[in-house]
Amino acid sequence: MISRRGPVQVMTAAAVTEVAGSAGVGQASARPGTTAATAAATTGPTENGLGPVRQIRTDVLDLAYHDVGPGHGKPVILLHGWPFSPVGSYAEVAPALARRGYRCYIPYLRGHGQTRFLREDVFRSGQQAALGSDLIAFMDALRVPRALFAGYDWGGRAGDVAAALWPERCTGLVSVNGYLIQNLAAAQEPMAPAIEEGSWYFFYFLTERGRKGLQRDREGLARVVWHRNSPEWRFAEAEFAQAAALWTNPDYVDVVIHSYRHRLAAAPGDPRYAELEQRLSAQPTITVPAVTLDGRADGVTPPTDGSGYAAHFSGPWTHHVVSGAGHNLPQEQPGAFTAAILEVDAMR
């Protein structure tokens, strides 16, 4: 752990045994005040204790999500990454938090699962400002004034963006791989070769060949990413199959391709987010309490002591390196991720 007051330590499984032991099958409950006009449960079986898939409309999306925990519990929004599943990522984390009285909301990012754009003429953007805006619009639709944000990869970026631009909506932040707000002005500056190697698909998606590759074999490409980004993770085929069902979304390819092209300054953004992207270009400081995590076995983002981005966190902040975890940290080490949420909540 690194903090403004302490030395570096490694968060091991033993350090989170008590939290991990509470993970299990939880019960989803309906949000008080929700009406059929604003949110509806999709018919079908309960998914791993996260309850039915619900739908709620924002200004842009018909957004799919799960909710778990007591209706008046402390709100936590759990945000998944690409190309992973919110069900797989949070099947253990959300029930563990629910047992402690938290109300967990687990949305499906744009382009994934049953989340759909409301209109055909809306830009299928995957840029960071869009992801952060979706998070705030989701909260508005649910009438949740403030929540704790926790996520990794695309979801971690959405949480970082929302925490930086709308700190009044965020009670605390857990972000895997630290400060994830992209510096588009530096997009053409090379990183160390070993890091560039892990980002191979960024460059693949810049090409029409990469778009065709994603369109033709979404599962094959994702399988490579799962293995390379989390080399120690021994996932079950059922876990992969569950996630693969999300990639049949008709907007999946467009959103993914735009996300990686935009982050490398190779594609324009949606004009509706231009002002927000301008604010993000200043690399805004995150002022809310924060815990950042790195997986010791992350194959795309090597673990650090967090000092490289410490200046971006001006509030209470702690960093941990988690053993036995790769890029999909909440699914690989749910106890450590749950512990980080409890830790940041206690910082307030």
Side-chain angles (χ1 to χ4, degrees):
M1 173 181 75
I2 186 171
S3 71
R4 304 192 193 283
R5 299 174 298 279
V8 177
Q9 296 178 354
V10 175
M11 181 182 282
T12 65
V16 295
T17 299
E18 190 271 334
V19 172
S22 72
V25 176
Q27 295 297 319
S29 55
R31 178 177 63 86
T34 297
T35 68
T38 57
T42 300
T43 57
T46 295
E47 302 236 29
N48 294 324
L50 299 189
V53 177
R54 302 182 185 278
Q55 302 285 147
I56 195 162
R57 290 194 169 196
T58 68
D59 56 336
V60 174
L61 300 170
D62 184 9
L63 203 151
Y65 70 102
H66 299 276
D67 55 10
V68 181
H72 297 289
K74 293 181 181 179
V76 177
I77 302 179
L78 303 171
L79 299 149
H80 74 94
W82 177 88
F84 302 102
S85 160
V87 172
S89 296
Y90 297 114
E92 294 187 47
V93 172
L97 291 171
R99 291 175 187 274
R100 284 171 159 72
Y102 290 87
R103 175 69 163 184
C104 300
Y105 299 96
I106 309 106
Y108 290 70
L109 296 176
R110 53 173 55 200
H112 291 73
Q114 295 178 46
T115 292
R116 296 287 189 273
F117 287 89
L118 295 177
R119 299 185 303 279
E120 288 299 322
D121 61 350
V122 173
F123 194 145
R124 268 47 175 175
S125 170
Q127 69 195 87
Q128 60 181 350
L131 300 178
S133 294
D134 288 347
L135 172 52
I136 298 300
F138 178 58
M139 294 174 67
D140 288 344
L142 290 171
R143 298 194 286 278
V144 173
R146 303 180 74 216
L148 192 155
F149 306 155
Y152 67 100
D153 196 76
W154 286 28
R157 180 163 296 106
D160 285 19
V161 168
L165 298 185
W166 296 278
E168 72 280 3
R169 306 298 298 274
C170 181
T171 60
L173 175 71
V174 174
S175 180
V176 177
N177 299 133
Y179 185 82
L180 298 177
I181 296 175
Q182 296 157 353
N183 184 356
L184 299 183
Q188 298 304 315
E189 291 300 315
M191 298 182 291
I195 298 177
E196 296 279 27
E197 178 190 24
S199 303
W200 66 273
Y201 48 92
F202 293 23
F203 312 113
Y204 184 51
F205 290 155
L206 293 181
T207 68
E208 186 57 26
R209 179 187 178 109
R211 173 185 278 279
K212 289 180 179 178
L214 181 62
Q215 182 69 58
R216 292 177 183 177
D217 193 0
R218 304 174 195 200
E219 291 188 24
L221 194 148
R223 188 178 293 275
V224 171
V225 171
W226 281 35
H227 281 298
R228 285 179 177 262
N229 290 12
S230 296
E232 295 183 5
W233 182 28
R234 299 296 178 260
F235 57 86
E237 282 302 309
E239 293 177 290
F240 185 82
Q242 189 279 326
L246 308 184
W247 310 326
T248 60
N249 184 301
D251 300 307
Y252 176 78
V253 172
D254 287 344
V255 170
V256 171
I257 293 297
H258 182 260
S259 177
Y260 288 98
R261 290 183 180 181
H262 183 268
R263 73 182 294 167
L264 293 181
D270 184 340
R272 78 172 62 217
Y273 303 116
E275 188 270 335
L276 295 179
E277 288 290 354
Q278 183 63 36
R279 292 170 63 188
L280 294 173
S281 70
Q283 297 285 273
T285 299
I286 293 173
T287 60
V288 303
V291 172
T292 56
L293 303 172
D294 283 336
R296 175 69 73 189
D298 193 320
V300 65
T301 306
T304 73
D305 66 2
S307 60
Y309 45 73
H312 290 295
F313 296 92
S314 64
W317 166 74
T318 299
H319 179 74
H320 300 287
V321 176
V322 181
S323 295
H327 202 62
N328 183 4
L329 195 149
Q331 189 163 356
E332 298 173 63
Q333 289 293 338
F337 195 83
T338 304
I341 292 172
L342 300 178
E343 181 179 11
V344 78
D345 191 36
M347 290 178 177
R348 294 190 287 150

